[in-house]
RNA sequence: GCGGGAGUAGCUCAGUGGUAGAGCAUCAGCUUCCCAAGCUGAGGGUCGCGGGUCCGACUCCCGUCUCCCGCUCCA
């Protein structure tokens, strides 16, 4: 089966079995926004619990917070998002290629530099040791001509950027006769500004309102609370702050189902360390995080690290953990060494001292930060992708058959067990209800009496229920039931009184933590 | 945002200028009983939405929304 087909089936399966629906579907939907259904929300909550517990419960030096989505607008200036999240884009009408207008102009500046360096290089070769480079640069006609053009372009470019003058940016591209590298033409569209941050207004009256942004990442909520948590929690470096929350990005192109959404959820942990120890903590967290992923048992060969060669403005090291999705290896989690960039920026913009007094060193410093950042929705998609399988079965009498089963790790499964009477009579339904009454406070249970028992098993397979408990006539005599396992389809007969223990052992998060 | 393709029942799809179909799924009843597809019956669609042409539009035209593929972007 082709991989795209697998992906299509996944999307269909997610809808058909109540995992993921398109947002506002009865109104034709809303682009790149999705809702989680009755089973999806359970799986999602379990993923968050797996992460949260592995961070906050398992590490005594990691604590959690829940910061607001709205934050002071200056935070986004300090973080660099106001500048970096808004790109002026221009399309070439012939090649249909899109470029960042500022990048095109920067490349043009580089071309002037190349021309100048070429002249200088030629002269150096010609004159050898006696070459006076400074004088050459100041006097050579060709160098001066290019330098003048370059400076003029530079000034014009900076002014246009500062004024956010998009027409001027376009005119600059036209005047410089910049061509599309693909089509070679100068048939450009207008320059348009894409702001990747959503904004709204706070304050009821129009004149008193201030522009606020929906956070494009949860990290800043942690940084601006660094002092609060460190002081009130009496935290000693190294320590971490974890947070799970929604973030919003107005993506130009948001596609591939829930892989890239405009409203998404992040699970982030910022780990504050002594400057200079950041490389070793970076190594440690990258391994810890990989272990967390692989503990789910989907096969280590399906994961890999992807080292960044191009680093974001705040980072001195960055690596992604990628999973082999049906559409290729894609990022699920990022581990970034963010240096002291964020805390220093907030120190600068807020005017508050954000430092840690290290008693061992007897000095104060701005801590360095190692960030682990994972998308809940991507993790959800990763698990569904990994868990989805179509199996060919051959029954005892040789009949061929297929089943669709979600092999979700039991601790993450939306429904832990289904209890069903073998037949809808003779008191079996009542007995089944009785069992559910006893277990429903411990596990998410489902009752089903409709259709044949085999069909009911398949329905549970399709949503990844790890255990099916069946009540038959023997149950009424000796208080035992059969428990059928999703992955093997095998059954055991066990006393009803032991059900709780058996299932609890299998669905506990401890089962996963044991592998960390 | 550009180019290409698509949108008919919960799902997969058929249909075609003349009152909307199938299979599966759902629900009710019966039957069998430990691995889907037994019998009987029922519900469910203003054919993505809006406009136009026409006596008449699911079908033709225009617009729009959404999805898929490619480009582009990705902290």
């Amino acid at each position: 089966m082709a991989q795209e087909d697998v992906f299509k089936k996944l999307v269909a399966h997610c809808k058909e079995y109540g995992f993921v629906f398109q947002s506002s579907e009865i109104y034709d939907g809303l682009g790149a926004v999705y809702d989680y259904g009755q089973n999806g929300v359970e799986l999602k909550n379990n993923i968050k619990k797996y992460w949260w517990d592995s961070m906050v419960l398992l590490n005594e030096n990691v604590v959690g917070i829940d910061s607001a989505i709205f934050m002071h607008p200056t935070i986004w200036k300090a973080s660099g998002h106001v500048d970096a999240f808004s790109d002026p884009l221009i399309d070439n009408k012939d090649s249909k290629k899109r470029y960042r207008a500022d990048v095109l102009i920067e490349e043009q500046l580089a071309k002037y530099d190349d021309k100048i360096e070429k002249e200088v290089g030629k002269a150096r070769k010609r004159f050898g040791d006696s070459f006076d480079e400074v004088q050459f640069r100041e006097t050579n006609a060709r160098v001066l001509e290019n330098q003048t053009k370059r400076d003029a372009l530079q000034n014009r470019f900076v002014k246009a950027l500062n004024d956010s003058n998009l027409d001027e940016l376009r005119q600059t591209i036209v005047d410089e006769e910049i061509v599309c590298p693909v089509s070679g033409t100068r048939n450009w569209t207008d320059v348009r500004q894409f702001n990747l941050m959503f904004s709204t207004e706070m304050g009821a009256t129009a004149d008193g309102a201030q522009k606020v942004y929906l956070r494009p990442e949860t990290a800043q909520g942690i940084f601006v609370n660094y002092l609060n948590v460190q002081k009130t929690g009496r935290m000693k470096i190294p320590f971490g702050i974890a947070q799970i929350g929604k973030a919003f990005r107005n993506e130009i192109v948001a596609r591939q189902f829930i892989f890239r959404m405009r409203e998404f959820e992040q699970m982030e942990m910022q780990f504050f360390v002594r400057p200079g120890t950041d490389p070793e903590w970076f190594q440690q967290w990258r391994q810890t995080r990989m272990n967390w992923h692989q503990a789910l048992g989907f096969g280590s060969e399906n994961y890999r690290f992807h080292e960044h060669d191009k680093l974001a403005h705040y980072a001195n090291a960055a690596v992604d953990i990628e999973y082999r999705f049906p559409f290729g290896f894609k990022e699920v989690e990022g581990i970034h060494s963010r240096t002291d960039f964020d805390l220093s920026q907030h120190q600068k913009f807020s005017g508050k001292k954000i430092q840690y007094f290290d008693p061992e060193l007897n000095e104060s410093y701005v801590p360095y930060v190692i960030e682990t950042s994972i998308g809940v929705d991507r993790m959800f998609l990763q698990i569904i992708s990994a868990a989805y399988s179509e199996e060919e079965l051959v029954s005892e009498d040789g009949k061929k058959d297929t089943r669709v089963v979600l092999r979700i790790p039991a601790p993450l499964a939306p429904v832990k067990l289904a209890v069903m009477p073998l037949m809808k009579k003779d008191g079996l339904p009542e007995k089944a209800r009785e069992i559910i009454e006893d277990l429903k406070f411990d596990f998410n249970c489902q009752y089903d009496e409709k259709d044949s028992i085999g069909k009911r098993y398949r329905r549970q397979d399709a949503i990844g229920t790890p255990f099916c408990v069946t009540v038959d006539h023997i149950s009424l005599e000796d208080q035992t039931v059969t428990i059928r396992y999703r992955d093997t389809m095998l059954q055991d007969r066990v006393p009803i009184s032991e059900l709780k223990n058996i299932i609890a052992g299998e669905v506990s998060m401890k089962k996963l933590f044991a592998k960390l």
Side-chain angles (χ1 to χ4, degrees):
Chain A
M1 187 165 28
Q3 297 204 313
E4 302 77 57
D5 294 341
V6 177
F7 190 59
K8 272 188 180 167
K9 285 191 174 184
L10 266 179
V11 176
H13 193 87
C14 279
K15 181 182 179 187
E16 189 164 1
Y17 289 94
F19 284 90
V20 180
F21 307 123
Q22 190 183 14
S23 165
S24 318
E25 190 180 319
I26 62 170
Y27 288 96
D28 295 330
L30 188 63
V33 184
Y34 292 89
D35 298 337
Y36 287 86
Q38 67 277 15
N39 289 318
V41 67
E42 297 289 343
L43 173 55
K44 194 180 179 201
N45 283 341
N46 293 339
I47 291 169
K48 289 194 274 188
K49 183 170 171 50
Y50 175 43
W51 183 87
W52 185 266
D53 289 358
S54 76
M55 284 293 174
V56 176
L57 261 51
L58 266 49
N59 299 291
E60 65 177 78
N61 60 346
V62 175
V63 294
I65 62 165
D66 182 29
S67 68
I69 288 170
F70 291 139
M71 288 191 262
H72 195 287
T74 308
I75 287 173
W76 305 113
K77 288 204 175 75
S79 70
H81 284 84
V82 170
D83 294 330
F85 256 36
S86 54
D87 298 331
L89 298 180
I90 189 168
D91 290 351
N92 182 274
K93 289 179 187 168
D94 298 316
S95 64
K96 310 293 183 197
K97 297 281 181 189
R98 164 169 298 171
Y99 302 92
R100 279 177 54 174
D102 53 333
V103 170
L104 284 179
I105 294 174
E106 278 165 7
E107 285 170 359
Q108 185 73 3
L109 287 170
K111 274 185 189 166
Y112 286 120
D113 287 336
D114 287 348
K115 281 183 189 168
I116 293 168
E117 291 312 313
K118 211 173 158 189
E119 290 298 327
V120 173
K122 275 193 323 200
R124 184 182 295 125
K125 214 169 171 183
R126 185 150 24 107
F127 296 116
D129 291 340
S130 61
F131 178 54
D132 183 344
E133 184 174 326
V134 175
Q135 194 206 1
F136 180 78
R137 282 179 190 271
E138 283 169 0
T139 53
N140 179 274
R142 265 178 255 170
V143 170
L144 284 177
E145 183 195 339
N146 278 309
Q147 190 65 46
T148 307
K149 282 186 185 168
R150 189 202 183 286
D151 291 345
L153 175 58
Q154 174 84 32
N155 289 338
R156 189 178 178 188
F157 175 47
V158 169
K159 186 170 189 310
L161 275 187
N162 287 341
D163 298 348
S164 297
N165 188 337
L166 301 181
D167 292 338
E168 174 67 6
L169 273 183
R170 180 178 189 279
Q171 198 54 47
T172 305
I173 288 170
V174 171
D175 291 347
E176 286 290 325
E177 302 185 340
I178 294 173
V179 299
C180 167
V182 174
S183 67
T185 68
R186 287 174 283 174
N187 191 7
W188 298 107
T189 63
D190 286 343
V191 174
R192 283 156 305 187
Q193 186 77 24
F194 285 78
N195 196 331
L196 262 48
M197 278 200 291
F198 286 97
S199 64
T200 184
E201 292 189 346
M202 191 178 240
T205 60
D207 49 347
Q210 70 173 336
K211 191 177 185 183
V212 293
Y213 296 100
L214 273 64
R215 65 184 177 196
E217 63 173 29
T218 52
Q220 299 306 324
I222 295 177
F223 295 132
V224 298
N225 275 300
Y226 164 82
L227 283 177
N228 285 336
V229 175
Q230 192 272 319
K231 285 180 176 168
T232 60
R234 297 157 49 234
M235 307 306 291
K236 291 189 172 52
I237 273 183
F239 75 94
I241 303 177
Q243 171 163 236
I244 298 175
K246 288 277 179 87
F248 306 82
R249 287 183 201 172
N250 203 356
E251 301 282 357
I252 301 166
V253 176
R255 269 203 207 134
Q256 282 173 318
F257 196 39
I258 57 173
F259 188 79
R260 176 167 304 157
M261 297 196 288
R262 295 204 161 97
E263 173 179 343
F264 59 103
E265 198 157 11
Q266 291 183 308
M267 305 188 285
E268 292 198 325
M269 196 278 299
Q270 311 291 337
F271 198 71
F272 301 93
V273 304
R274 183 185 293 171
T277 64
D278 42 307
E280 50 196 274
W281 281 111
F282 178 74
Q283 289 303 321
Q284 172 147 348
W285 276 110
R286 91 183 224 151
Q287 196 52 52
T288 302
R289 295 309 304 150
M290 183 58 104
N291 293 347
W292 184 89
H293 285 277
Q294 296 193 351
L296 293 174
F298 291 126
S300 55
E301 73 280 6
N302 291 317
Y303 297 86
R304 71 179 187 195
F305 286 113
H306 174 250
E307 316 280 346
H308 286 215
D309 20 278
K310 202 177 124 195
L311 294 171
H313 63 257
Y314 54 71
N316 69 6
V319 67
D320 292 339
I321 293 174
E322 296 186 334
Y323 176 77
R324 193 199 304 269
F325 281 94
F327 45 94
F329 270 103
K330 295 282 180 188
E331 174 188 354
V332 176
E333 172 154 10
I335 296 110
H336 297 144
S337 181
R338 292 182 80 127
T339 70
D340 61 352
F341 176 83
D342 299 277
L343 291 182
S344 294
Q345 285 290 102
H346 289 307
Q347 188 168 250
K348 189 169 135 197
F349 277 75
S350 70
K352 305 284 191 303
K353 188 175 167 188
I354 304 179
Q355 295 192 0
Y356 176 77
F357 178 76
D358 193 325
E360 286 179 33
L361 299 179
N362 201 28
E363 65 180 56
S364 289
Y365 53 76
V366 178
Y368 270 47
V369 175
I370 308 299
E371 168 189 82
T372 74
S373 174
I374 172 170
V376 180
D377 312 281
R378 286 183 179 186
M379 194 64 206
F380 183 103
L381 186 58
Q382 188 257 297
I383 288 170
I384 289 273
S385 303
Y388 183 90
S389 91
E390 295 177 14
E391 289 182 357
E392 299 291 332
L393 305 173
V394 181
S395 64
E396 285 173 13
D397 52 354
K399 272 201 299 187
K400 283 195 176 169
D401 192 8
T402 62
R403 72 161 182 162
V404 173
V405 53
L406 290 186
R407 297 174 178 280
I408 300 171
L412 302 183
V415 178
K416 301 308 186 196
L417 77 156
V419 182
M420 26 192 132
L422 188 58
M423 279 179 278
K424 207 170 19 174
K425 59 181 181 185
D426 302 334
L428 300 183
E430 290 76 5
K431 189 72 192 167
R433 294 282 190 193
E434 206 177 286
I435 293 171
I436 286 189
E437 282 305 308
D438 186 41
L439 296 178
K440 71 180 185 186
F441 296 104
D442 296 288
F443 316 111
N444 190 3
C445 303
Q446 263 189 13
Y447 175 82
D448 193 3
E449 60 176 27
K450 174 79 179 160
D451 298 313
S452 74
I453 191 72
K455 202 164 185 174
R456 282 179 270 167
Y457 288 151
R458 298 301 168 80
R459 274 204 286 263
Q460 295 301 327
D461 288 340
I463 63 170
T465 306
F467 309 105
C468 287
V469 167
T470 305
V471 176
D472 55 20
H473 288 92
I474 303 172
S475 307
L476 300 178
E477 292 163 19
D478 66 359
Q479 303 298 313
T480 63
V481 290
T482 59
I483 181 164
R484 177 260 194 193
Y485 304 99
R486 176 194 69 200
D487 295 343
T488 60
M489 298 172 71
L490 298 176
Q491 286 177 287
D492 287 331
R493 182 165 283 277
V494 302
I496 293 172
S497 57
E498 282 181 27
L499 273 179
K500 194 178 286 186
N501 277 339
I502 293 170
I503 294 168
E506 293 298 315
V507 305
S508 165
M509 290 286 169
K510 278 187 198 164
K511 189 99 179 164
L512 298 174
F513 294 150
K515 298 180 191 166
L516 293 181

